[in-house]
Amino acid sequence: MKNKYLFTSESVTEGHPDKVCDQISDAILDEIFKSDPSGRVACETMVTTGLALVAGEVTTSCYVDIPKVVRRTIREIGYTSAHYGFDYLTCGVMTSIQGQSPDIALGVDTGGAGDQGMMFGYATDETKELMPMPITLAHALSRRLAHIRKEKEVNYLRPDGKSQVTVEYHDGEPKRVEAVVISAHHDHKALMSDIQHDMMELVIKKIIPSPLMDKNTKIFINPTGRFEVGGPQGDTGVTGRKIIVDTYGGVGSHGGGCFSGKDPTKVDRSASYMARYVAKNIVAAGIAKKCEVQVAYAIGISEPVSIMINTFGTGKISEEKIVKLVRENFDLTPGGIIEKLKLRRPIYKQTAAYGHFGRNEEGFTWEEIDKADDLKKAAK
């Protein structure tokens, strides 16, 4: 008797209000890193109808024209007309930036962690990206939705949008897609019949492999009937409010800290990237089919206070031995993480939409599996 269950993950496009904020915060971080790779940045953004507010703590030797960065980012996302309820030319931009707390700097200056907390990384062999299938498919749908808008394959789409995928598992293995949801932001002239046809033909069928869909797969396209009011006009956006979209779609655990707008001395970001790197290399080495890594830090202390490995019963060696391998093969201090993953570069804006993990693209150093062979040999 197979153990069957359903698991659902969602994704959002770059025009979703929370993702607008993530991209603005990371664009500011990138702009600082272009001139000052040692800058300290903790940048938060909020957007609503006609307004973008940037606040936070920044310590840097360079000058950044923040309103210019904000407007450029909004333009690149696609909010280029007042008809969208939000546009880069006419929105107000407010800033409230101060220096980093000297108390925090005391610990960070000596190579310690920028905060306490626990961070998680995860990997699974169920997709070639070593990511859970539901979030992988959901991100692919959102990217496809944005692609057909930017390439003008249809003329009615606007920047906001969401996707959701439910996968049926048998004994822990993905077998079929149970449900797909697409919510596409559109102008007032668009007909629902056109939207439903185009989303099915140009998005869903292009992304979801046909063997995974059957006559029982449920398709929901703009379930409320209309999605004319979207983006910051429809919902207030805030940096760091899509942490499950950013990571593994709800699979595994999450320490609670967001990524965007934070320089890599903040272990919320850098240690989460390193935990993914560790977990992915463990799975790539064949040591386990699934792996979750937890690391925890104390503010101002460089070495993690704990390391935990969970292979969910799929490990070929004990979890205690895997922890020993991790300690021997990975430098988990903030300084070691930053150096190994080359994190003092302007690489962050591209991470701020469509997930921080499972992307084999330039700059995503934490997705490399260069340690897999070493781990495989050591495990023997």
Side-chain angles (χ1 to χ4, degrees), residues 137-176:
L137 293 176
H139 281 321
L141 289 169
S142 292
R143 296 190 85 158
R144 179 66 186 170
L145 183 58
H147 175 81
I148 66 170
R149 170 179 63 87
K150 293 175 180 178
E151 296 300 316
K152 296 182 170 54
E153 292 186 33
V154 296
N155 61 7
Y156 54 77
L157 286 177
R158 290 179 174 175
D160 200 353
K162 300 176 103 173
S163 66
Q164 186 172 286
V165 178
T166 301
V167 173
E168 181 179 304
Y169 285 79
H170 296 181
D171 292 333
E173 298 291 332
K175 292 300 180 183
R176 59 180 290 275

Short mmCIF file of all heavy atoms in Angstrom, two decimals, residues 137-176:
data_model
loop_
_atom_site.label_atom_id
_atom_site.label_comp_id
_atom_site.label_asym_id
_atom_site.label_seq_id
_atom_site.Cartn_x
_atom_site.Cartn_y
_atom_site.Cartn_z
N LEU A 137 8.48 23.81 -10.15
CA LEU A 137 7.46 24.04 -11.18
C LEU A 137 6.78 25.38 -10.99
O LEU A 137 6.50 26.09 -11.96
CB LEU A 137 6.44 22.91 -11.16
CG LEU A 137 6.94 21.53 -11.59
CD1 LEU A 137 5.84 20.49 -11.42
CD2 LEU A 137 7.44 21.55 -13.03
N ALA A 138 6.51 25.77 -9.74
CA ALA A 138 5.84 27.05 -9.48
C ALA A 138 6.71 28.22 -9.96
O ALA A 138 6.21 29.16 -10.59
CB ALA A 138 5.51 27.18 -8.00
N HIS A 139 8.00 28.18 -9.65
CA HIS A 139 8.91 29.24 -10.13
C HIS A 139 8.96 29.28 -11.66
O HIS A 139 8.96 30.35 -12.27
CB HIS A 139 10.32 29.03 -9.58
CG HIS A 139 10.50 29.46 -8.16
ND1 HIS A 139 9.91 30.59 -7.64
CD2 HIS A 139 11.23 28.92 -7.15
CE1 HIS A 139 10.27 30.73 -6.36
NE2 HIS A 139 11.06 29.72 -6.05
N ALA A 140 9.01 28.11 -12.27
CA ALA A 140 9.08 28.05 -13.74
C ALA A 140 7.82 28.67 -14.36
O ALA A 140 7.90 29.37 -15.38
CB ALA A 140 9.27 26.62 -14.20
N LEU A 141 6.67 28.43 -13.76
CA LEU A 141 5.44 29.03 -14.25
C LEU A 141 5.46 30.55 -14.11
O LEU A 141 5.07 31.28 -15.05
CB LEU A 141 4.23 28.47 -13.48
CG LEU A 141 3.84 27.02 -13.77
CD1 LEU A 141 2.82 26.54 -12.75
CD2 LEU A 141 3.29 26.86 -15.18
N SER A 142 5.92 31.05 -12.97
CA SER A 142 5.98 32.50 -12.76
C SER A 142 6.95 33.16 -13.74
O SER A 142 6.67 34.23 -14.29
CB SER A 142 6.39 32.81 -11.32
OG SER A 142 5.38 32.44 -10.42
N ARG A 143 8.08 32.52 -13.96
CA ARG A 143 9.06 33.09 -14.91
C ARG A 143 8.50 33.07 -16.33
O ARG A 143 8.72 34.01 -17.11
CB ARG A 143 10.37 32.30 -14.85
CG ARG A 143 11.08 32.39 -13.53
CD ARG A 143 12.48 31.81 -13.57
NE ARG A 143 13.43 32.80 -14.05
CZ ARG A 143 14.74 32.75 -13.81
NH1 ARG A 143 15.24 31.77 -13.10
NH2 ARG A 143 15.54 33.67 -14.27
N ARG A 144 7.78 32.04 -16.67
CA ARG A 144 7.16 31.95 -17.99
C ARG A 144 6.09 33.04 -18.16
O ARG A 144 5.98 33.66 -19.22
CB ARG A 144 6.55 30.57 -18.19
CG ARG A 144 5.85 30.36 -19.53
CD ARG A 144 6.80 30.42 -20.70
NE ARG A 144 6.07 30.35 -21.96
CZ ARG A 144 6.60 30.57 -23.15
NH1 ARG A 144 7.90 30.85 -23.27
NH2 ARG A 144 5.86 30.49 -24.24
N LEU A 145 5.33 33.27 -17.10
CA LEU A 145 4.31 34.32 -17.14
C LEU A 145 4.95 35.68 -17.38
O LEU A 145 4.46 36.49 -18.19
CB LEU A 145 3.53 34.31 -15.82
CG LEU A 145 2.35 35.28 -15.68
CD1 LEU A 145 1.31 35.04 -16.77
CD2 LEU A 145 1.73 35.15 -14.29
N ALA A 146 6.05 35.95 -16.71
CA ALA A 146 6.76 37.21 -16.91
C ALA A 146 7.37 37.28 -18.31
O ALA A 146 7.40 38.34 -18.94
CB ALA A 146 7.85 37.37 -15.85
N HIS A 147 7.87 36.14 -18.80
CA HIS A 147 8.50 36.10 -20.12
C HIS A 147 7.52 36.48 -21.23
O HIS A 147 7.86 37.29 -22.10
CB HIS A 147 9.07 34.70 -20.38
CG HIS A 147 9.62 34.52 -21.75
ND1 HIS A 147 10.88 34.94 -22.12
CD2 HIS A 147 9.08 33.94 -22.88
CE1 HIS A 147 11.09 34.66 -23.39
NE2 HIS A 147 10.02 34.05 -23.88
N ILE A 148 6.32 35.92 -21.20
CA ILE A 148 5.39 36.22 -22.30
C ILE A 148 4.89 37.67 -22.21
O ILE A 148 4.51 38.25 -23.23
CB ILE A 148 4.20 35.23 -22.35
CG1 ILE A 148 3.30 35.34 -21.12
CG2 ILE A 148 4.71 33.80 -22.54
CD1 ILE A 148 2.01 34.56 -21.27
N ARG A 149 4.92 38.25 -21.00
CA ARG A 149 4.60 39.68 -20.88
C ARG A 149 5.70 40.54 -21.48
O ARG A 149 5.43 41.42 -22.31
CB ARG A 149 4.41 40.05 -19.40
CG ARG A 149 4.31 41.56 -19.17
CD ARG A 149 4.08 41.89 -17.70
NE ARG A 149 5.17 41.48 -16.83
CZ ARG A 149 6.25 42.22 -16.58
NH1 ARG A 149 6.41 43.40 -17.15
NH2 ARG A 149 7.18 41.78 -15.74
N LYS A 150 6.94 40.25 -21.11
CA LYS A 150 8.06 41.07 -21.58
C LYS A 150 8.29 40.92 -23.08
O LYS A 150 8.68 41.89 -23.76
CB LYS A 150 9.33 40.69 -20.82
CG LYS A 150 9.29 41.04 -19.35
CD LYS A 150 10.53 40.51 -18.64
CE LYS A 150 10.52 40.85 -17.17
NZ LYS A 150 11.69 40.29 -16.46
N GLU A 151 8.07 39.71 -23.60
CA GLU A 151 8.27 39.47 -25.03
C GLU A 151 7.03 39.82 -25.85
O GLU A 151 7.02 39.63 -27.06
CB GLU A 151 8.63 38.00 -25.25
CG GLU A 151 9.95 37.59 -24.64
CD GLU A 151 11.13 38.37 -25.19
OE1 GLU A 151 11.18 38.57 -26.43
OE2 GLU A 151 11.98 38.81 -24.38
N LYS A 152 5.99 40.32 -25.14
CA LYS A 152 4.75 40.76 -25.80
C LYS A 152 4.09 39.66 -26.64
O LYS A 152 3.54 39.91 -27.71
CB LYS A 152 5.02 42.01 -26.66
CG LYS A 152 5.44 43.22 -25.83
CD LYS A 152 5.66 44.44 -26.69
CE LYS A 152 5.84 45.70 -25.86
NZ LYS A 152 6.89 45.61 -24.84
N GLU A 153 4.19 38.43 -26.14
CA GLU A 153 3.47 37.34 -26.79
C GLU A 153 1.96 37.51 -26.61
O GLU A 153 1.18 37.01 -27.42
CB GLU A 153 3.93 35.99 -26.23
CG GLU A 153 5.37 35.64 -26.60
CD GLU A 153 5.77 34.24 -26.17
OE1 GLU A 153 4.90 33.35 -26.18
OE2 GLU A 153 6.95 34.05 -25.82
N VAL A 154 1.58 38.21 -25.54
CA VAL A 154 0.21 38.69 -25.38
C VAL A 154 0.32 40.16 -24.98
O VAL A 154 1.33 40.59 -24.43
CB VAL A 154 -0.57 37.88 -24.31
CG1 VAL A 154 -0.75 36.44 -24.74
CG2 VAL A 154 0.12 37.94 -22.96
N ASN A 155 -0.72 40.93 -25.24
CA ASN A 155 -0.62 42.37 -25.05
C ASN A 155 -1.40 42.91 -23.85
O ASN A 155 -1.51 44.13 -23.69
CB ASN A 155 -1.07 43.10 -26.31
CG ASN A 155 -2.53 42.81 -26.68
OD1 ASN A 155 -3.25 42.17 -25.91
ND2 ASN A 155 -2.96 43.26 -27.84
N TYR A 156 -1.91 42.05 -23.00
CA TYR A 156 -2.77 42.52 -21.92
C TYR A 156 -2.18 42.30 -20.53
O TYR A 156 -2.78 42.71 -19.53
CB TYR A 156 -4.15 41.84 -22.00
CG TYR A 156 -4.10 40.33 -22.03
CD1 TYR A 156 -3.86 39.60 -20.87
CD2 TYR A 156 -4.27 39.64 -23.22
CE1 TYR A 156 -3.80 38.22 -20.90
CE2 TYR A 156 -4.21 38.26 -23.26
CZ TYR A 156 -3.99 37.55 -22.09
OH TYR A 156 -3.91 36.19 -22.13
N LEU A 157 -1.05 41.65 -20.41
CA LEU A 157 -0.50 41.31 -19.10
C LEU A 157 0.18 42.51 -18.44
O LEU A 157 0.79 43.34 -19.11
CB LEU A 157 0.49 40.16 -19.21
CG LEU A 157 -0.10 38.77 -19.45
CD1 LEU A 157 1.02 37.75 -19.61
CD2 LEU A 157 -1.04 38.36 -18.32
N ARG A 158 0.08 42.54 -17.12
CA ARG A 158 0.77 43.53 -16.30
C ARG A 158 1.73 42.80 -15.36
O ARG A 158 1.71 41.58 -15.30
CB ARG A 158 -0.26 44.38 -15.55
CG ARG A 158 -1.03 45.30 -16.51
CD ARG A 158 -2.08 46.12 -15.80
NE ARG A 158 -2.70 47.08 -16.72
CZ ARG A 158 -3.71 47.87 -16.42
NH1 ARG A 158 -4.24 47.80 -15.20
NH2 ARG A 158 -4.20 48.71 -17.30
N PRO A 159 2.57 43.52 -14.61
CA PRO A 159 3.69 42.85 -13.93
C PRO A 159 3.36 41.87 -12.80
O PRO A 159 4.15 40.97 -12.53
CB PRO A 159 4.52 44.03 -13.39
CG PRO A 159 4.18 45.17 -14.30
CD PRO A 159 2.74 44.98 -14.62
N ASP A 160 2.25 42.04 -12.13
CA ASP A 160 1.96 41.18 -10.98
C ASP A 160 1.50 39.80 -11.45
O ASP A 160 1.02 39.64 -12.58
CB ASP A 160 0.88 41.84 -10.11
CG ASP A 160 0.85 41.31 -8.68
OD1 ASP A 160 1.57 40.35 -8.38
OD2 ASP A 160 0.07 41.86 -7.87
N GLY A 161 1.61 38.82 -10.60
CA GLY A 161 1.15 37.48 -10.94
C GLY A 161 1.57 36.45 -9.91
O GLY A 161 2.52 36.67 -9.15
N LYS A 162 0.86 35.33 -9.88
CA LYS A 162 1.16 34.27 -8.93
C LYS A 162 0.95 32.92 -9.59
O LYS A 162 0.16 32.79 -10.55
CB LYS A 162 0.25 34.36 -7.70
CG LYS A 162 0.35 35.65 -6.91
CD LYS A 162 -0.65 35.69 -5.78
CE LYS A 162 0.00 35.40 -4.47
NZ LYS A 162 -0.92 35.59 -3.32
N SER A 163 1.63 31.93 -9.07
CA SER A 163 1.41 30.55 -9.51
C SER A 163 1.39 29.65 -8.28
O SER A 163 1.90 30.02 -7.22
CB SER A 163 2.52 30.10 -10.47
OG SER A 163 3.76 30.03 -9.79
N GLN A 164 0.80 28.48 -8.45
CA GLN A 164 0.78 27.49 -7.37
C GLN A 164 0.67 26.11 -7.99
O GLN A 164 -0.06 25.92 -8.96
CB GLN A 164 -0.42 27.76 -6.46
CG GLN A 164 -0.48 26.89 -5.22
CD GLN A 164 -1.57 27.35 -4.26
OE1 GLN A 164 -1.43 28.35 -3.59
NE2 GLN A 164 -2.66 26.60 -4.23
N VAL A 165 1.43 25.18 -7.45
CA VAL A 165 1.45 23.81 -7.98
C VAL A 165 1.29 22.82 -6.83
O VAL A 165 1.98 22.92 -5.81
CB VAL A 165 2.76 23.52 -8.74
CG1 VAL A 165 2.79 22.07 -9.23
CG2 VAL A 165 2.93 24.47 -9.91
N THR A 166 0.38 21.88 -7.01
CA THR A 166 0.19 20.79 -6.06
C THR A 166 0.66 19.49 -6.71
O THR A 166 0.21 19.13 -7.80
CB THR A 166 -1.30 20.64 -5.67
OG1 THR A 166 -1.75 21.87 -5.10
CG2 THR A 166 -1.49 19.50 -4.69
N VAL A 167 1.58 18.81 -6.05
CA VAL A 167 2.16 17.56 -6.56
C VAL A 167 1.72 16.39 -5.68
O VAL A 167 1.70 16.50 -4.45
CB VAL A 167 3.70 17.64 -6.61
CG1 VAL A 167 4.32 16.30 -6.98
CG2 VAL A 167 4.14 18.72 -7.61
N GLU A 168 1.36 15.30 -6.33
CA GLU A 168 1.00 14.07 -5.61
C GLU A 168 2.24 13.19 -5.47
O GLU A 168 2.93 12.90 -6.45
CB GLU A 168 -0.10 13.31 -6.36
CG GLU A 168 -0.54 12.03 -5.66
CD GLU A 168 -1.65 11.32 -6.41
OE1 GLU A 168 -2.70 11.96 -6.67
OE2 GLU A 168 -1.45 10.13 -6.77
N TYR A 169 2.51 12.78 -4.24
CA TYR A 169 3.67 11.93 -3.94
C TYR A 169 3.21 10.54 -3.58
O TYR A 169 2.19 10.35 -2.92
CB TYR A 169 4.46 12.52 -2.76
CG TYR A 169 5.30 13.74 -3.11
CD1 TYR A 169 4.71 14.99 -3.22
CD2 TYR A 169 6.67 13.62 -3.32
CE1 TYR A 169 5.48 16.11 -3.53
CE2 TYR A 169 7.45 14.74 -3.62
CZ TYR A 169 6.84 15.97 -3.72
OH TYR A 169 7.59 17.08 -4.03
N HIS A 170 3.99 9.55 -4.02
CA HIS A 170 3.80 8.16 -3.61
C HIS A 170 5.07 7.70 -2.91
O HIS A 170 6.15 7.69 -3.52
CB HIS A 170 3.54 7.26 -4.82
CG HIS A 170 2.28 7.56 -5.56
ND1 HIS A 170 1.87 6.85 -6.66
CD2 HIS A 170 1.31 8.50 -5.34
CE1 HIS A 170 0.73 7.34 -7.10
NE2 HIS A 170 0.38 8.35 -6.32
N ASP A 171 4.97 7.37 -1.65
CA ASP A 171 6.14 6.95 -0.87
C ASP A 171 7.30 7.94 -1.01
O ASP A 171 8.47 7.55 -1.16
CB ASP A 171 6.60 5.55 -1.31
CG ASP A 171 5.59 4.48 -0.94
OD1 ASP A 171 4.85 4.68 0.04
OD2 ASP A 171 5.54 3.46 -1.65
N GLY A 172 6.98 9.22 -0.96
CA GLY A 172 8.00 10.26 -0.99
C GLY A 172 8.50 10.63 -2.35
O GLY A 172 9.36 11.52 -2.48
N GLU A 173 8.00 10.00 -3.42
CA GLU A 173 8.44 10.31 -4.78
C GLU A 173 7.32 11.04 -5.53
O GLU A 173 6.16 10.62 -5.50
CB GLU A 173 8.79 9.02 -5.54
CG GLU A 173 9.93 8.22 -4.93
CD GLU A 173 11.27 8.93 -5.07
OE1 GLU A 173 11.44 9.71 -6.02
OE2 GLU A 173 12.14 8.70 -4.20
N PRO A 174 7.66 12.14 -6.24
CA PRO A 174 6.63 12.87 -7.00
C PRO A 174 6.15 12.05 -8.19
O PRO A 174 6.96 11.51 -8.96
CB PRO A 174 7.36 14.14 -7.46
CG PRO A 174 8.81 13.77 -7.47
CD PRO A 174 9.00 12.76 -6.38
N LYS A 175 4.82 11.95 -8.36
CA LYS A 175 4.27 11.10 -9.41
C LYS A 175 3.43 11.87 -10.43
O LYS A 175 3.43 11.54 -11.61
CB LYS A 175 3.43 9.98 -8.80
CG LYS A 175 4.24 8.97 -8.02
CD LYS A 175 5.27 8.28 -8.91
CE LYS A 175 6.08 7.25 -8.14
NZ LYS A 175 7.14 6.64 -8.98
N ARG A 176 2.67 12.87 -9.96
CA ARG A 176 1.80 13.59 -10.87
C ARG A 176 1.46 14.96 -10.29
O ARG A 176 1.63 15.20 -9.09
CB ARG A 176 0.50 12.82 -11.15
CG ARG A 176 -0.31 12.52 -9.92
CD ARG A 176 -1.59 11.75 -10.24
NE ARG A 176 -2.56 12.58 -10.94
CZ ARG A 176 -3.42 13.41 -10.35
NH1 ARG A 176 -3.44 13.52 -9.03
NH2 ARG A 176 -4.27 14.12 -11.07
#
